[in-house]
Amino acid sequence: MEIECSSCGAKLQYEPGTRTLQCEYCGNTIVIDSIEETVEKAQYIKPFSLDEDAAVTAARAFMTTGLTTPDNLVTASRITQVKFLYLPAWDCSGHYKANWSASFGYDRKEIERYYNRGAKRWETRTKTVTDWSPHSGITEGTFRYFCPAGRHFPDDCAQTVFQSEPDGLTDFDSRYCAGVEISPFELKSGDAFEYAKPALTNKVEMAVKNNKMGDHQKDWSWNTVLDFQTPRSVYVPVVQVSFDYQQHSYTVTIDGCDGAHCLGSLPSDKGKEEIEETAVIEFYTFE
């Protein structure tokens, strides 16, 4: 990111959270003031680790993913903007307790005697019999999610916030926000947690069904009780890298800390699409 030198007007590269910056051209020391009056406070903030070069590198690496992306996408695309954002989230954590019940079936072999009408004689055969028995128990665990707290986040931004690792937090200081676009909190913690409910539901289901025994299971049922810790307001760093390719614009949304999570729609090569469609048809035909 850039900041203008107050002495000579030079454009200087600047990392969020920097307290002072010395101009490499005139030697002027710039104090990056707090911007309390323009930034809505949160309890915590997760500082950026990516700079502009690292964000572009992550975006270009993402361009190579996918089965149908054009081979020349990285070399033929033109980066048009790198935008650093702080997006609001609620750090929602707690404990779940699921009381469950199910029926588990155990197979056994049983020999039966039957009359073979064709051969006109009595014979024996083996059949599989399943013995069912009811079971119940309690499954407990913890959860923690960054729940997007904006009403109109693009889906890629919301998912990036949600996938961000809930670590590396520091006490909020508005200096981290200098030079970064910041969005206000629009949702209360309870409303924001709606975003996490599908993931938590799946987490509890997997934990409950991990208790399965026997050869077969059926009639699963459980009820879940949640015990929440006090939610914490957090600003989560996100970088959006925009680029042009063949007169169309695209945006890659990146986790602002490690660049591990990249989301976005990429252009597709029509020839590769046809190859993939043919391969899928041939696969199912073979099956």
Side-chain angles (χ1 to χ4, degrees), residues 55 69 76 99 123 126 136 141 150 152 161 206 211 228 234 237 246 271 280-281:
T69 51
N99 296 280
E123 297 180 352
T126 301
S136 62
H152 306 294
V161 168
M206 291 179 63
N211 294 287
F228 285 91
V234 179
Q246 293 186 348
V280 170
I281 293 172

Side-chain angles (χ1 to χ4, degrees), residues 102-120:
S103 294
F104 298 152
Y106 296 84
D107 291 342
R108 60 181 173 83
K109 300 297 183 182
E110 188 175 88
I111 297 176
E112 65 176 1
R113 189 166 180 266
Y114 72 101
Y115 185 74
N116 188 328
R117 296 182 180 277
K120 296 182 180 181

Side-chain angles (χ1 to χ4, degrees), residues 9 41 94 100 129 172 179 208 222 225 232 237-238 242 248 256 261 266 268 283:
K41 289 184 178 179
W100 61 269
V129 177
F172 179 81
V208 166
W222 62 90
V225 177
R232 306 186 299 176
V238 170
S242 300
H248 290 86
H261 302 297
L266 297 176
S268 184
F283 173 79

Side-chain angles (χ1 to χ4, degrees), residues 218-256:
K218 66 178 182 179
D219 302 331
W220 284 102
S221 177
W222 62 90
N223 62 77
T224 307
V225 177
L226 302 180
D227 180 20
F228 285 91
Q229 296 182 7
T230 302
R232 306 186 299 176
S233 54
V234 179
Y235 276 117
V236 179
V238 170
V239 186
Q240 289 185 316
V241 178
S242 300
F243 66 94
D244 288 342
Y245 176 77
Q246 293 186 348
Q247 299 180 331
H248 290 86
S249 297
Y250 304 87
T251 297
V252 178
T253 302
I254 307 166
D255 183 308

Side-chain angles (χ1 to χ4, degrees), residues 56 78 80-81 122 124 145 148 159 236 241 251:
V56 171
R78 181 177 66 87
T80 57
Q81 184 182 45
W122 287 92
T124 60
Y145 301 107
Q159 288 187 53
V236 179
V241 178
T251 297

Side-chain angles (χ1 to χ4, degrees), residues 11 52 68 115 123 164 167 253:
K11 300 294 185 181
E52 185 169 321
T68 63
Y115 185 74
E123 297 180 352
S164 181
D167 54 14
T253 302

Side-chain angles (χ1 to χ4, degrees), residues 62-285:
F62 180 68
M63 293 179 196
T64 65
T65 62
L67 295 175
T68 63
T69 51
D71 292 334
N72 69 339
L73 179 57
V74 173
T75 56
S77 60
R78 181 177 66 87
I79 303 297
T80 57
Q81 184 182 45
V82 180
K83 183 188 294 187
F84 289 75
L85 309 170
Y86 266 125
L87 300 181
W90 287 100
D91 182 1
C92 297
S93 61
H95 176 269
Y96 68 84
K97 181 178 181 181
N99 296 280
W100 61 269
S101 62
S103 294
F104 298 152
Y106 296 84
D107 291 342
R108 60 181 173 83
K109 300 297 183 182
E110 188 175 88
I111 297 176
E112 65 176 1
R113 189 166 180 266
Y114 72 101
Y115 185 74
N116 188 328
R117 296 182 180 277
K120 296 182 180 181
R121 64 172 182 266
W122 287 92
E123 297 180 352
T124 60
R125 62 186 175 190
T126 301
K127 68 175 182 177
T128 300
V129 177
T130 302
D131 296 321
W132 292 95
S133 61
H135 291 264
S136 62
I138 297 175
T139 296
E140 301 180 72
T142 60
F143 62 88
R144 187 180 181 188
Y145 301 107
F146 278 167
C147 301
R151 292 186 182 279
H152 306 294
F153 283 179
D155 189 54
D156 287 348
C157 286
Q159 288 187 53
T160 301
V161 168
F162 189 67
Q163 293 174 0
S164 181
E165 294 296 330
D167 54 14
L169 303 183
T170 188
D171 291 339
F172 179 81
D173 186 327
S174 63
R175 291 185 180 89
Y176 285 106
C177 305
V180 180
E181 185 174 316
I182 187 166
S183 298
F185 281 81
E186 297 177 305
L187 297 177
K188 295 182 178 179
S189 59
D191 296 327
F193 189 72
E194 291 295 319
Y195 194 93
K197 279 188 174 179
L200 180 57
T201 298
N202 185 60
K203 178 185 179 77
V204 173
E205 179 177 357
M206 291 179 63
V208 166
K209 291 187 176 180
N210 195 44
N211 294 287
K212 67 181 181 180
M213 294 185 289
D215 302 297
H216 310 280
Q217 302 83 34
K218 66 178 182 179
D219 302 331
W220 284 102
S221 177
W222 62 90
N223 62 77
T224 307
V225 177
L226 302 180
D227 180 20
F228 285 91
Q229 296 182 7
T230 302
R232 306 186 299 176
S233 54
V234 179
Y235 276 117
V236 179
V238 170
V239 186
Q240 289 185 316
V241 178
S242 300
F243 66 94
D244 288 342
Y245 176 77
Q246 293 186 348
Q247 299 180 331
H248 290 86
S249 297
Y250 304 87
T251 297
V252 178
T253 302
I254 307 166
D255 183 308
C257 284
D258 55 17
H261 302 297
C262 296
L263 296 171
S265 298
L266 297 176
S268 184
D269 184 295
K270 297 298 183 183
K272 288 187 176 182
E273 287 180 6
E274 293 175 0
I275 293 173
E276 286 302 311
E277 290 174 1
T278 302
V280 170
I281 293 172
E282 289 180 349
F283 173 79
Y284 283 106
T285 302

